Amino acid sequence: MKWLYEISHDNPLWIATPDAQRHGIETGSLVKVRTRIGYFVTRAWVTEGIRPGVLGMSHHLGRWRLDEQRGNRNASALVTIDRQGSGYKVSQVHGARPFASSDPDSSRIWWSDVGVHQNLTFPVQPESSQRHALLASARDAREGRTRGQVRRYLVDTNKSHEIYKEWLAMTRSAPGPDGLRRPLWFDRPLRPIPEAYKL
């Protein structure tokens, strides 16, 4: 993984050229992406490779840690977490840095940016295709940059719980058709035996 992370260690926000022009966003600009329960700040990538009106971002990068000496240090940022009422603010202290270890490659880390792990900022919002609906909007975030911190998150757990209750109210209680907790056709990486689907 360490060599793959050297090749691809950032996950910018894909934004269509006309949308970016309308909002004055350029490739590399800081963008604040707001969700129903908070926001995250990342960098923009202006591209013709995404449909106007849609934002895209990989969610496989941007890991973080709370301890300088622990965790996957070549693929995570050191952060602090501050409680703000029912919210949590996660602020990056620094990204990846070279460090001494038994692996000589750890001293060769040349990148600092490790991306943004934005999953924290999205509430559970299942939709009919069994995927999560990630609803967000982006705006320029240059004025929100403080103390050199590029990567920040804010999430409100009370709002997240309210949204969970909204979606729960739209569901039917179990069991589903044929007395199943979920359809037998629903794919899973490790599919259990059919009896596990029954209540």
Side-chain angles (χ1 to χ4, degrees):
M1 181 193 143
K2 64 182 179 180
W3 296 304
L4 293 175
Y5 215 86
E6 180 179 9
I7 294 167
S8 177
H9 47 263
D10 192 13
N11 57 344
L13 183 77
W14 289 31
I15 184 167
T17 304
D19 293 337
Q21 289 172 343
R22 189 168 52 257
H23 295 287
I25 296 171
E26 298 176 355
T27 293
S29 296
L30 290 178
V31 209
K32 182 180 282 185
V33 181
R34 294 187 177 278
T35 69
R36 290 183 67 191
I37 64 169
Y39 67 81
F40 62 91
V41 176
T42 189
R43 292 198 186 278
W45 184 44
V46 179
T47 177
E48 295 292 316
I50 195 165
R51 181 180 176 153
V54 175
L55 300 173
M57 188 173 177
S58 170
H59 70 287
H60 297 289
L61 296 163
R63 304 296 186 219
W64 47 266
R65 65 186 191 282
L66 295 170
D67 187 300
E68 182 70 75
Q69 303 301 321
R70 301 178 75 171
N72 189 352
R73 293 161 63 187
N74 68 326
S76 64
L78 181 69
V79 302
T80 59
I81 300 178
D82 299 310
R83 181 86 186 252
Q84 298 180 350
S86 63
Y88 293 85
K89 183 178 183 183
V90 181
S91 301
Q92 180 176 305
V93 177
H94 66 74
R97 291 179 172 173
F99 61 95
S101 76
S102 59
D103 180 355
D105 288 337
S106 69
S107 65
R108 299 180 180 122
I109 294 171
W110 56 266
W111 62 93
S112 61
D113 204 341
V114 294
V116 174
H117 188 64
Q118 75 278 19
N119 290 4
L120 178 69
T121 63
F122 287 100
V124 175
Q125 300 179 142
E127 44 103 3
S128 59
S129 68
Q130 302 292 329
R131 288 185 283 274
H132 290 296
L134 305 182
L135 309 174
S137 63
R139 70 173 181 83
D140 185 45
R142 281 173 289 196
E143 79 284 356
R145 186 173 182 173
T146 58
R147 293 178 295 151
Q149 295 172 344
V150 175
R151 308 297 196 207
R152 296 188 309 284
Y153 312 80
L154 179 69
V155 61
D156 188 315
T157 53
N158 283 354
K159 287 181 182 176
S160 182
H161 190 69
E162 289 169 15
I163 293 166
Y164 159 75
K165 289 191 287 188
E166 283 178 23
W167 284 92
L168 188 63
M170 293 186 275
T171 64
R172 291 174 288 171
S173 59
D178 302 320
L180 301 173
R181 69 174 70 227
R182 63 176 60 197
L184 291 173
W185 52 260
F186 188 72
D187 264 345
R188 300 182 68 168
L190 299 172
R191 193 175 190 280
I193 59 174
E195 287 73 29
Y197 287 85
K198 297 177 182 174
L199 287 176

